[in-house]
Amino acid sequence: LGASDLCALGLATHYLSSESLSTLLDDNAHLLFDGCQSAADVDARLRELGAGTSIPPAPPTAATRHAAIIASCFDGDSVTAIAAALRADGSAFALETLGVLERQSPTSLVATLWLLRTCRGKPLRE
């Protein structure tokens, strides 16, 4: 996934250019966040670093090309419901995705779904 996918899917909250990222990763990066008392303060600093930077356009990926299928099929309340929705969709993408899921550990799938749903909208710290 690229920057545009991560932002579009809500998995990234900020985008920084390579130059800004270098500043952030510099040995003195901790100074950038001195005085930050809250997540809002950190958010403001990251927005400041990224000011004037736009997410570079990216070619469509599976995540963007199949966003509607992903949204509808992965809306289920359980791994079983998601698998059933993928099977019912029947598209090549849905069936390929179902095949990938069927090769994974059922316990890992259930745990991952629980974490994603429980933590949706929460800051990474939580």
Side-chain angles (χ1 to χ4, degrees):
L1 296 174
S4 58
D5 283 326
L6 295 172
C7 289
L9 295 170
L11 298 173
T13 57
H14 298 80
Y15 174 78
L16 301 176
S17 67
S18 296
E19 296 78 26
S20 295
L21 189 57
S22 294
T23 301
L24 184 64
L25 298 176
D26 184 270
D27 287 342
N28 295 317
H30 67 280
L31 298 176
L32 290 171
F33 297 102
D34 277 357
C36 290
Q37 300 295 317
S38 67
D41 291 343
V42 172
D43 178 66
R45 291 280 168 88
L46 288 171
R47 289 185 190 283
E48 187 179 301
L49 275 174
T53 305
S54 59
I55 299 169
T61 63
T64 54
R65 282 193 314 273
H66 302 292
I69 294 170
I70 293 168
S72 66
C73 291
F74 282 83
D75 194 36
D77 291 331
S78 68
V79 173
T80 303
I82 291 169
L86 289 166
R87 194 172 289 106
D89 180 273
S91 67
F93 172 78
L95 295 176
E96 180 181 337
T97 302
L98 177 61
V100 170
L101 293 178
E102 288 175 335
R103 291 189 299 274
Q104 307 308 310
S105 159
T107 302
S108 293
L109 292 173
V110 170
T112 300
L113 181 61
W114 181 85
L115 283 168
L116 288 170
R117 298 290 159 80
T118 301
C119 299
R120 182 185 292 165
K122 292 184 179 182
L124 288 177
R125 180 183 297 164
E126 292 180 24

